Amino acid sequence: MSVGEIMVRVRYAETDRMGLLHHANYLVYFEQARTELLRSKGMTYKDLEDEGHLLVVAKLEIRYRSPAYYDDLLLIRTKQVRTTNVQIEHTYEVLRGDVLLAEGSSTLACVDRDGQLQRLPDKLTEDT
Amino acid sequence: MSVGEIMVRVRYAETDRMGLLHHANYLVYFEQARTELLRSKGMTYKDLEDEGHLLVVAKLEIRYRSPAYYDDLLLIRTKQVRTTNVQIEHTYEVLRGDVLLAEGSSTLACVDRDGQLQRLPDKLTEDT
Amino acid sequence: MSVGEIMVRVRYAETDRMGLLHHANYLVYFEQARTELLRSKGMTYKDLEDEGHLLVVAKLEIRYRSPAYYDDLLLIRTKQVRTTNVQIEHTYEVLRGDVLLAEGSSTLACVDRDGQLQRLPDKLTEDT
Amino acid sequence: MSVGEIMVRVRYAETDRMGLLHHANYLVYFEQARTELLRSKGMTYKDLEDEGHLLVVAKLEIRYRSPAYYDDLLLIRTKQVRTTNVQIEHTYEVLRGDVLLAEGSSTLACVDRDGQLQRLPDKLTEDT
């Protein structure tokens, strides 16, 4: 099981009228965390996509436990928890220091340029 | 149970490199749909918030079934399915014509300006 | 000279910690206004792009005069003020009722899929 | 004159249907670069704002010279070029390696919580 961590600083543009990180932006951080997890394994999502393996989000769950604020430095921890022939499952934790702010999970499906399901490339299934 | 529908045109800025509506933007559409559902009942979320009743997203689930594209005219259907003293649950459907593109659900919690849970105002619990 | 107007409701996700429409989102509204201006002339930007005519922003100026707030219903007025063989210039006004909130201008360049400048299609230059 | 540089990796969510960094997101990068320039001088914009000094964008210009792509690692260089009693002017450059992709400038005005112009705090005018 591969695990990765990134640090993200909450941008002003990502906050909302409540002064908090807007809830939709957690999904953008999750995506960035997945990207960096791949990079840490010697791949880039860009190359995957350019080779015709598109990973689309099929399912996503998130539980917001405590708010994140402007300028917070957050740790996003991602685990690739399960991989089938055509899908990858990740879990996510968002932390500020020791405080768990949010938790989530996602299922990605591998499709071709026409949106048809296809097998994940071997390099993605081998090293989970 | 209250139900509302809005039409949303997918903006160019909301698409991504795959040419699809980026998955995080569905959450923005859901939020807009909740706002308009409130408005259809004679309230505005702006007033609610200005009166000290902040509705924060506590939980969110979404299942992406089929992609939405740039310039698509989407229907977002929202139902307020359950209301407790401090929480509101909604479900969502995203449709292009007859095709169901995505489904979701969310739980909102009512907090005060300090982030403490508080009772929902009566006008929100009565008319579910 | 073609002129178009759209109404846009400021979304919660588009506000920031100050409670205002974040300044970057005006550009998204401008883009949406250009898109609808084209549609009002019987074209869609989607078709243009699918035919290989990509309009990229080459230059943009904006003056923010007065803030826009969450849930404001704004009018975005766009004028296609000048068209050359390869460029289109627009101006923009953002109004809430009679109040001018912002003004801007942009220059779009027509490029092909490889990013090379190309002539605008006739239908874009004729009807200015 | 103070100068600062940050590196920003283009996120998937920030790209658009053309596969490029969407033009509105450059403004978000500029804002992040200003924030980090302040931090490098021992201040945070968050504190400034919490002390009642809000910096709002009054004017902005940007020239897009060459596109930025998904996963590009960009350098954003910011200079605080001029400071008056109530305004700060910055210039910006966006580079990928040696290639200048975009240039911009902005004028920020200092306002209080009611949006009224006020003098910049001394710490912002002294160290330009």
Side-chain angles (χ1 to χ4, degrees):
Chain A
M1 188 179 67
S2 39
V3 182
E5 294 185 350
I6 61 166
M7 301 302 293
V8 180
R9 175 82 69 178
V10 176
R11 296 172 178 169
Y12 202 88
E14 294 167 347
T15 61
D16 60 23
R17 192 179 190 243
M18 272 186 219
L20 314 178
L21 173 60
H22 187 268
H23 66 277
N25 292 319
Y26 288 74
L27 276 59
V28 177
Y29 291 2
F30 289 175
E31 184 173 60
Q32 191 180 353
R34 289 194 303 270
T35 301
E36 295 306 321
L37 177 57
L38 266 186
R39 199 186 319 275
S40 73
K41 298 196 273 183
M43 295 174 263
T44 69
Y45 178 65
K46 194 182 187 195
D47 287 343
L48 269 186
E49 197 169 295
D50 289 345
E51 291 157 17
H53 293 98
L54 284 62
L55 298 178
V56 294
V57 181
K59 197 180 163 188
L60 205 138
E61 289 187 36
I62 178 162
R63 198 173 277 265
Y64 304 90
R65 301 203 173 279
S66 195
Y69 298 97
Y70 166 56
D71 215 38
D72 275 357
L73 194 55
L74 305 177
L75 183 147
I76 320 293
R77 182 180 294 138
T78 314
K79 294 182 195 168
Q80 190 176 327
V81 288
R82 190 161 169 269
T83 307
T84 69
N85 281 341
V86 294
Q87 290 193 326
I88 309 178
E89 293 175 27
H90 291 85
T91 59
Y92 310 90
E93 290 174 313
V94 178
L95 294 113
R96 184 183 51 233
D98 292 336
V99 185
L100 179 67
L101 304 183
E103 294 172 283
S105 64
S106 68
T107 304
L108 305 185
C110 187
V111 300
D112 62 21
R113 288 194 201 290
D114 299 319
Q116 297 305 306
L117 269 185
Q118 65 171 339
R119 278 184 67 93
L120 281 161
D122 289 342
K123 56 186 171 188
L124 276 182
T125 51
E126 283 160 4
D127 62 348
T128 310
Chain B
M1 189 179 66
S2 38
V3 183
E5 294 185 350
I6 61 167
M7 301 302 293
V8 180
R9 175 82 69 178
V10 176
R11 296 172 178 169
Y12 202 87
E14 294 167 346
T15 61
D16 60 24
R17 191 179 192 243
M18 271 185 221
L20 314 178
L21 174 60
H22 186 268
H23 67 277
N25 292 319
Y26 287 75
L27 278 58
V28 176
Y29 291 1
F30 289 175
E31 184 174 59
Q32 190 180 354
R34 289 194 302 271
T35 301
E36 295 307 321
L37 177 57
L38 266 186
R39 199 187 318 276
S40 73
K41 298 197 271 182
M43 295 174 265
T44 69
Y45 177 65
K46 194 182 187 195
D47 287 344
L48 269 186
E49 196 168 295
D50 290 344
E51 292 157 17
H53 293 98
L54 283 63
L55 298 179
V56 293
V57 181
K59 198 181 162 187
L60 206 140
E61 288 186 35
I62 178 162
R63 199 173 276 267
Y64 304 90
R65 299 202 174 281
S66 195
Y69 299 96
Y70 168 56
D71 215 39
D72 275 357
L73 193 56
L74 305 177
L75 183 146
I76 320 294
R77 183 180 294 138
T78 315
K79 295 181 194 171
Q80 189 177 328
V81 288
R82 191 161 169 270
T83 308
T84 70
N85 282 340
V86 294
Q87 289 192 329
I88 308 177
E89 292 176 25
H90 291 86
T91 59
Y92 310 90
E93 291 175 313
V94 178
L95 294 114
R96 183 184 50 233
D98 293 335
V99 184
L100 180 67
L101 304 183
E103 294 171 283
S105 64
S106 68
T107 304
L108 306 184
C110 187
V111 300
D112 61 21
R113 288 194 200 291
D114 300 319
Q116 297 305 306
L117 269 185
Q118 64 171 341
R119 278 183 68 92
L120 281 161
D122 288 343
K123 57 186 168 187
L124 275 182
T125 51
E126 282 161 2
D127 62 347
T128 312
Chain C
M1 189 179 66
S2 38
V3 182
E5 295 185 349
I6 61 166
M7 300 303 293
V8 180
R9 174 83 69 178
V10 176
R11 296 172 178 170
Y12 202 87
E14 294 167 347
T15 61
D16 60 24
R17 193 180 189 240
M18 273 186 219
L20 313 179
L21 174 60
H22 187 269
H23 67 277
N25 292 319
Y26 288 75
L27 277 58
V28 176
Y29 291 2
F30 289 175
E31 183 174 60
Q32 190 179 354
R34 288 194 302 271
T35 300
E36 296 306 321
L37 177 57
L38 266 186
R39 200 186 318 276
S40 73
K41 298 197 271 182
M43 294 174 265
T44 69
Y45 177 65
K46 194 182 187 195
D47 287 343
L48 269 185
E49 196 168 296
D50 289 345
E51 291 157 17
H53 293 98
L54 285 62
L55 297 179
V56 294
V57 181
K59 197 180 163 187
L60 205 138
E61 289 187 36
I62 178 162
R63 197 173 277 266
Y64 304 90
R65 301 202 172 279
S66 194
Y69 299 97
Y70 167 57
D71 215 37
D72 275 357
L73 194 55
L74 304 177
L75 183 147
I76 320 293
R77 183 180 295 138
T78 314
K79 294 181 196 169
Q80 190 176 327
V81 288
R82 190 160 170 270
T83 308
T84 69
N85 281 341
V86 294
Q87 290 193 326
I88 308 178
E89 293 175 26
H90 291 85
T91 59
Y92 310 90
E93 290 174 312
V94 179
L95 294 114
R96 184 183 51 232
D98 293 335
V99 185
L100 179 67
L101 303 184
E103 294 172 282
S105 63
S106 68
T107 304
L108 305 185
C110 187
V111 300
D112 62 21
R113 288 193 200 292
D114 300 319
Q116 297 305 306
L117 269 185
Q118 65 172 339
R119 279 183 66 93
L120 281 161
D122 289 343
K123 56 186 169 187
L124 276 181
T125 50
E126 283 161 4
D127 62 347
T128 310
Chain D
M1 189 179 68
S2 38
V3 183
E5 295 185 349
I6 60 167
M7 301 302 293
V8 181
R9 174 82 69 180
V10 176
R11 296 172 178 169
Y12 202 87
E14 295 167 347
T15 61
D16 61 23
R17 191 180 192 243
M18 270 185 222
L20 314 178
L21 173 60
H22 187 268
H23 66 277
N25 292 320
Y26 288 74
L27 278 58
V28 176
Y29 291 2
F30 289 176
E31 184 174 59
Q32 190 179 353
R34 289 194 301 270
T35 301
E36 295 306 321
L37 177 58
L38 266 186
R39 200 187 317 277
S40 73
K41 298 196 272 182
M43 294 174 266
T44 69
Y45 177 66
K46 194 182 189 194
D47 287 343
L48 269 186
E49 196 168 296
D50 289 345
E51 292 157 16
H53 293 99
L54 284 62
L55 298 179
V56 293
V57 181
K59 198 180 162 187
L60 206 139
E61 288 186 36
I62 179 162
R63 199 173 276 267
Y64 304 89
R65 299 201 175 281
S66 195
Y69 299 97
Y70 167 56
D71 215 38
D72 275 357
L73 194 56
L74 305 178
L75 183 147
I76 320 294
R77 183 180 294 139
T78 315
K79 295 181 194 169
Q80 190 177 328
V81 288
R82 189 161 170 269
T83 308
T84 69
N85 281 341
V86 295
Q87 289 192 328
I88 308 178
E89 292 176 26
H90 291 86
T91 59
Y92 310 90
E93 291 175 311
V94 179
L95 294 114
R96 183 183 52 232
D98 293 335
V99 184
L100 179 68
L101 304 183
E103 293 172 284
S105 63
S106 67
T107 304
L108 305 184
C110 187
V111 300
D112 61 22
R113 288 193 200 292
D114 300 319
Q116 297 304 306
L117 268 186
Q118 64 172 340
R119 279 183 67 91
L120 281 161
D122 289 344
K123 56 186 169 187
L124 276 183
T125 51
E126 281 160 5
D127 61 347
T128 312

